[in-house]
Amino acid sequence: MKWYILSSCLILSLLIIFVMNSTEVFFDRSKIPADDEQKGLKDQVVIRFSHVVAENTPKGLAAQKFAELVQKKTHGKVRVEVYPNGILYSDTDELKALQDGKIQMIAPSYSKLTDIVPSLEVLDLPFIFRDDRHVKAIFTGQVGRQLLGMVDQQQIKGMAFWSNGFKQMTSSQTPLIHPSDFKGQSFRVMPGKVITEQFNLLHAKPVVTSFNEVYQSLENHKVDGQENSISNIYSKRIYKLQKYMTISNHGYLGYIVIINQKFWKSLPPEIQDEIQNAMEETTVWILHESTKMNTIQLKEIKDSSPIQIHSLSNDEKKEWMKVFHPLYRDFNDEKSNDLIKKIQNTK
Ligand code: SIN
């Protein structure tokens, strides 16, 4: 009986080996579709995407969405790793890290790139954008493409403009309704000549600090106020430290998504196309999503905090515009004036 079982097992094993070998003859293994998920990890391209805001912000969510789309479109050949909240680099050192190839993608506010591309300064002009539709037309239209082209230098390549939202003013000292209310107060600003000059014209003191330091600067009363989008005021809990907020929509916080030039050139054309497609899809998504998010978060601020909110009336807006007018005059070169006209004439 024992011998019978052993010889049956042997015969069965031989049979299995024979069947497996014969299928090799009929099937060409190279034609079997590869499962990308199982591909050697060493073949996978990794894009490290670093940014300084929270995950529940327009940029944070867009970076995640972009990562998912890239994964899907390249069938896992490219993986985007997103590092939020400045955990890898703050906004003062992320550009250098990108240029040195330590990370491959960042999306700073365009104001932070004006040292390299001065033409971007026109986007910081107060009241240059009329509404979200206008922002979309500029970011995705001819002006956006023209500006992106200028970014292609010094180891960086411009990929897209992403939106966050209109900037609002806040203060711990007084309501900010008339330009004279700003006098003598200090405001945290991001770097950028136009932004700094905007506060000089209000006889206020602009103080440049990185985004990671905003909360502390307000908490320690190093500055009295700041300007930012609702989404950043909400996610950084800035509204908890400020008594007054003016819905002024005087400026726009937008981002320029950039990638390391050498890294980009090293990618095969078909992979570049897929990444570019994912970027375009994400850009359309964020333009819509950021508006929604700012509206919802403004309501949450109103509902959950004692901050006093004032919406600038048309007459008050005219007072502010009059004060800011010299900023437009300061652009006396042909290239900038041409850009300003194009933005203003875009429907
Ligand atoms: C950001 O949204 O990336 C930060 C903007 C700021 O520095 O205020």
Side-chain angles (χ1 to χ4, degrees):
M1 185 64 181
K2 210 168 156 190
W3 277 109
Y4 175 74
I5 293 173
L6 268 175
S7 49
S8 304
C9 283
L10 192 70
I11 291 167
L12 197 67
S13 311
L14 286 171
L15 210 67
I16 289 170
I17 291 168
F18 172 76
V19 171
M20 281 176 71
N21 278 339
S22 49
T23 48
E24 287 266 329
V25 179
F26 295 113
F27 296 116
D28 176 356
R29 277 187 174 252
S30 64
K31 295 213 173 78
I32 298 172
D35 178 356
D36 285 309
E37 297 291 328
Q38 304 302 316
K39 258 198 172 149
L41 285 179
K42 68 177 172 35
D43 296 333
Q44 200 175 43
V45 174
V46 176
I47 296 178
R48 282 148 58 99
F49 188 156
S50 169
H51 68 79
V52 297
V53 291
E55 282 164 303
N56 63 334
T57 56
K59 179 161 63 180
L61 293 174
Q64 280 302 339
K65 177 150 188 92
F66 172 69
E68 281 156 29
L69 287 171
V70 167
Q71 159 92 19
K72 205 160 107 198
K73 286 179 192 290
T74 65
H75 303 284
K77 289 190 198 109
V78 181
R79 181 160 54 92
V80 179
E81 289 174 358
V82 181
Y83 297 91
N85 280 316
I87 50 174
L88 277 190
Y89 296 100
S90 78
D91 45 8
T92 45
D93 49 18
E94 63 178 6
L95 180 60
K96 170 105 176 43
L98 179 96
Q99 288 171 313
D100 291 349
K102 291 184 180 137
I103 44 178
Q104 287 69 45
M105 278 180 85
I106 56 174
S109 66
Y110 37 65
S111 330
K112 292 173 189 167
L113 226 65
T114 49
D115 272 353
I116 294 184
V117 190
S119 292
L120 289 170
E121 278 172 5
V122 298
L123 301 178
D124 277 328
L125 278 167
F127 300 113
I128 187 103
F129 291 110
R130 293 187 296 272
D131 50 30
D132 288 308
R133 258 186 56 188
H134 190 207
V135 170
K136 183 175 178 190
I138 299 304
F139 282 12
T140 58
Q142 199 243 320
V143 175
R145 284 192 294 277
Q146 188 179 341
L147 287 168
L148 280 178
M150 294 180 197
V151 174
D152 290 357
Q153 50 166 311
Q154 299 190 27
Q155 271 316 321
I156 57 179
K157 175 187 158 50
M159 299 201 76
F161 281 99
W162 280 359
S163 54
N164 183 319
F166 280 92
K167 287 191 278 185
Q168 323 299 349
M169 296 283 194
T170 68
S171 166
S172 59
Q173 300 299 312
T174 62
L176 301 167
I177 299 169
H178 305 287
S180 56
D181 296 330
F182 287 80
K183 196 170 175 184
Q185 294 193 47
S186 55
F187 289 84
R188 177 272 167 175
V189 292
M190 33 185 141
K193 260 205 296 224
V194 173
I195 298 179
T196 307
E197 198 44 31
Q198 170 187 280
F199 283 95
N200 287 335
L201 287 169
L202 290 164
H203 301 288
K205 187 178 166 222
V207 180
V208 178
T209 60
S210 77
F211 187 61
N212 291 15
E213 287 163 348
V214 178
Y215 189 88
Q216 266 181 349
S217 307
L218 292 167
E219 194 177 36
N220 301 336
H221 303 286
K222 282 195 184 143
V223 287
D224 300 310
Q226 60 86 54
E227 56 160 22
N228 226 311
S229 67
I230 290 292
S231 152
N232 280 347
I233 292 171
Y234 177 78
S235 60
K236 275 273 166 188
R237 294 181 294 122
I238 290 170
Y239 67 100
K240 298 208 169 187
L241 300 172
Q242 301 277 269
K243 284 200 188 126
Y244 308 98
M245 175 157 73
T246 300
I247 303 299
S248 47
N249 294 331
H250 63 281
Y252 194 85
L253 173 58
Y255 304 114
I256 186 149
V257 189
I258 53 182
I259 192 162
N260 176 283
Q261 181 80 258
K262 196 166 155 204
F263 169 77
W264 178 253
K265 285 190 179 150
S266 74
L267 298 172
E270 63 280 9
I271 292 285
Q272 288 182 348
D273 286 349
E274 295 304 359
I275 294 175
Q276 197 64 53
N277 289 342
M279 182 53 65
E280 277 159 30
E281 218 177 292
T282 311
T283 301
V284 172
W285 180 84
I286 191 178
L287 278 161
H288 182 251
E289 208 60 27
S290 55
T291 309
K292 241 171 63 187
M293 195 173 282
N294 280 293
T295 310
I296 292 169
Q297 293 178 342
L298 174 58
K299 187 171 175 333
E300 294 204 13
I301 293 175
K302 279 180 182 165
D303 291 349
S304 69
S305 92
I307 192 167
Q308 282 183 38
I309 302 178
H310 173 79
S311 289
L312 212 61
S313 71
N314 278 341
D315 284 345
E316 288 153 6
K317 183 174 161 184
K318 278 185 197 146
E319 287 177 40
W320 289 37
M321 282 170 97
K322 202 168 155 199
V323 171
F324 294 143
H325 188 66
L327 288 171
Y328 282 76
R329 272 207 321 256
D330 286 351
F331 283 101
N332 43 25
D333 62 301
E334 208 179 307
K335 197 158 97 183
S336 305
N337 278 320
D338 179 54
L339 272 168
I340 293 171
K341 272 202 200 100
K342 274 187 192 157
I343 295 174
Q344 288 174 328
N345 293 335
T346 299
K347 293 280 172 267

